[in-house]
Amino acid sequence: LMSDNMHHQWLLLAACFWVIFMFMVASKFITLTFKDPDGYGAKQEPLILTAVTKVEVHVPKEKHWPEEFQPTGKAFSGNLIHQPLVHMERLELLRNVCRDTALRNLSHTAVSKFVLDRIFVCDKHKILFCQTPKVGNTQWKKVLIVLNGAFSSIEEIPENIVHDHEKNGLPRLSSFSDSEIKKRLNLYFKFFIVRDPFERLISAFKDKFVHNPRFEPWYRHEIAPGIIRKYRKNRTETKGLQFEDFVRYLGDPNHRWLDVQFGDHIIHWVTYVELCAPCEITYSVIGHHETLEDDAPYILKAAGIDHLVSYPTIPPGITVYNKTKVERYFSGISKRDIRRLYARFEGDFKLFGYREPDFLLN
C-alpha cells in the first residue's frame, strides 16, 4: 500500500512538472510572437512603423535646434528605420513652408543661371549636387570628382584641383541646353546640405575675412573695404572688417547693389533659397551639417553609390552647433541689426527646421 501511494505521488508530481513545462513553452511562444515583428510576418510591420513614428519622429528637430552643444547624430547611427523617417519629415516641412504665402518672398526664387551655376552634375550616376558653401561642400565635391572618373580615390585629389572648375571634371548644370537641364532636374537624384544659418555666416566671415586659407586677396582688399565704407558706424576705426560691419551689410534690405559689385563671391553668405531654389526644384534629400555623420552615408546609399565611394572621415566635434560661439560673435551687435539679419534669413530658418534664435533677438 505504501509503495502504491508513493507511485501515485510520483505520477502526480511528474504530471505537475509536465503542465508547468508546457505552460512555460506556451508563454515563451506568445512573448516572442508579440515582441519580434520579424518573427510573425509582414502584417505587423505597419503597426511597428506607426509606433516608431509616434515616439521618435520628433527627435531630429531637437538634434539641430540651437543648444549649447548639439549632438552629432551618433545616437541614431545604424538605425535603418529611423533615417528614412528623418528625411521624409524634412522634405514634408520644406513643402509646407514653401506653400506658406506669408513667407513666399523669403522661400521662392527663380531657377536662374546663378542657381544652375551652383549645381554640379554627375551624369554617370545621375546625381545633381547643389553647392551651399561653408557646409562641408569641399568633401562632397571630392566624392563627385571620384564618381565622374577624374580621380580613382578621394585621397588622390590635390586640394588645388577641387575648386578649379577647369580641371576637376565637374560640369555645372548651367552648361547644358534648356531641354537637357529640364531632363536632369526631372530624373536625377538631387541633394544639398544645410547648416544653422547664423553659424554658417560666422564660418563664412572667419574663412574669407579673418583666416583666408585659400589666399583669395579680393575678399580683404576689395570686398571688405566696400562693406566698411558703407556700413561702419565709427569712421575713425582703422581695423579690418569686423563682424558687426558684416552683419549690418547682410541685414540691409538694399544689400543687392553691393552684391552686384561683388559678383559670385557672395555665394559664401547668400541664403540657401538663393543658392538652390528649394521650393522650385524637387530635391531628393536635404542633409544637415549637424547630423552629417548619419546623413552622409544615408545620402550615398539613397543615391545608390555607397558601394563606390565613402564620404571622407569627419573630425570629432566639427559638425557640433556651438551656441556659446554664436553668442560671442553677436554679443556687441545691436538687437536692431540682429533682427534685420534674421528677417533676411528667416526663410532658411523656417524651411529647414532651425529654431528662431530667441537668445539673440530678445
Side-chain angles (χ1 to χ4, degrees), residues 118 131-137 200 204 267-269 272 275:
R118 310 280 76 79
Q131 179 189 22
T132 49
K134 311 321 305 168
V135 192
N137 286 273
R200 173 176 169 249
I267 65 171
H268 297 278
W269 52 77
Y272 301 129
L275 291 169

Side-chain angles (χ1 to χ4, degrees), residues 38 52 56 63 72-87 291-299 301:
D38 297 325
V52 172
E56 294 187 18
K63 288 172 72 179
T72 56
K74 291 179 181 177
F76 303 101
S77 295
N79 190 334
L80 299 179
I81 294 178
H82 187 76
Q83 274 285 18
L85 293 175
V86 171
H87 294 282
T291 54
L292 196 57
E293 287 88 343
D294 285 334
D295 290 357
Y298 176 83
I299 290 169
K301 187 173 181 63

Side-chain angles (χ1 to χ4, degrees), residues 96-317:
N96 289 337
V97 176
C98 287
R99 288 193 289 262
D100 188 341
T101 55
L103 289 171
R104 184 168 183 81
N105 290 339
L106 293 168
S107 60
H108 289 260
T109 192
V111 183
S112 62
K113 184 179 183 299
F114 181 80
V115 172
L116 297 175
D117 277 344
R118 310 280 76 79
I119 300 177
F120 295 98
V121 181
C122 175
D123 276 329
K124 186 176 181 180
H125 299 283
K126 294 183 170 53
I127 296 171
L128 299 180
F129 166 62
C130 185
Q131 179 189 22
T132 49
K134 311 321 305 168
V135 192
N137 286 273
T138 298
Q139 309 303 338
W140 285 111
K141 276 189 175 182
K142 290 179 181 178
V143 168
L144 292 183
I145 289 170
V146 170
L147 290 173
N148 274 351
F151 291 87
S152 58
S153 72
I154 285 174
E155 292 71 28
E156 293 178 16
I157 305 172
E159 287 299 324
N160 63 325
I161 293 293
V162 178
H163 300 289
D164 186 338
H165 299 116
E166 300 296 324
K167 299 178 181 178
N168 65 13
L170 283 182
R172 299 173 188 263
L173 192 55
S174 58
S175 66
F176 296 86
S177 67
D178 288 348
S179 61
E180 290 297 312
I181 289 171
K182 186 177 293 186
K183 181 179 76 173
R184 285 164 175 78
L185 286 174
N186 286 335
L187 299 178
Y188 281 20
F189 178 89
K190 302 172 287 294
F191 77 100
F192 66 98
I193 313 296
V194 296
R195 179 184 191 178
D196 176 87
F198 278 8
E199 193 171 45
R200 173 176 169 249
L201 294 180
I202 292 172
S203 178
F205 174 78
K206 288 169 59 181
D207 183 57
K208 299 306 175 186
F209 300 108
V210 180
H211 303 305
N212 201 243
R214 295 200 185 113
F215 305 106
E216 301 162 309
W218 51 88
Y219 284 102
R220 287 182 180 174
H221 301 309
E222 298 174 25
I223 295 178
I227 296 173
I228 290 170
R229 281 193 298 271
K230 174 68 176 174
Y231 295 102
R232 177 156 292 177
K233 284 185 176 180
N234 184 359
R235 296 298 178 180
T236 62
E237 179 61 69
T238 58
K239 291 181 181 178
L241 184 71
Q242 302 297 294
F243 190 63
E244 181 181 7
D245 308 323
F246 189 56
V247 167
R248 199 171 292 117
Y249 148 60
L250 293 177
D252 183 359
N254 300 312
H255 62 86
R256 292 189 186 279
W257 73 273
L258 261 187
D259 288 352
V260 171
Q261 296 178 44
F262 297 156
D264 279 3
H265 300 310
I266 63 172
I267 65 171
H268 297 278
W269 52 77
V270 300
T271 65
Y272 301 129
V273 171
E274 294 169 281
L275 291 169
C276 297
C279 288
E280 283 67 38
I281 297 173
T282 305
Y283 285 92
S284 313
V285 176
I286 298 169
H288 282 225
H289 186 260
E290 294 82 357
T291 54
L292 196 57
E293 287 88 343
D294 285 334
D295 290 357
Y298 176 83
I299 290 169
L300 296 178
K301 187 173 181 63
I305 54 174
D306 55 316
H307 62 294
L308 300 173
V309 66
S310 297
Y311 189 83
T313 302
I314 302 170

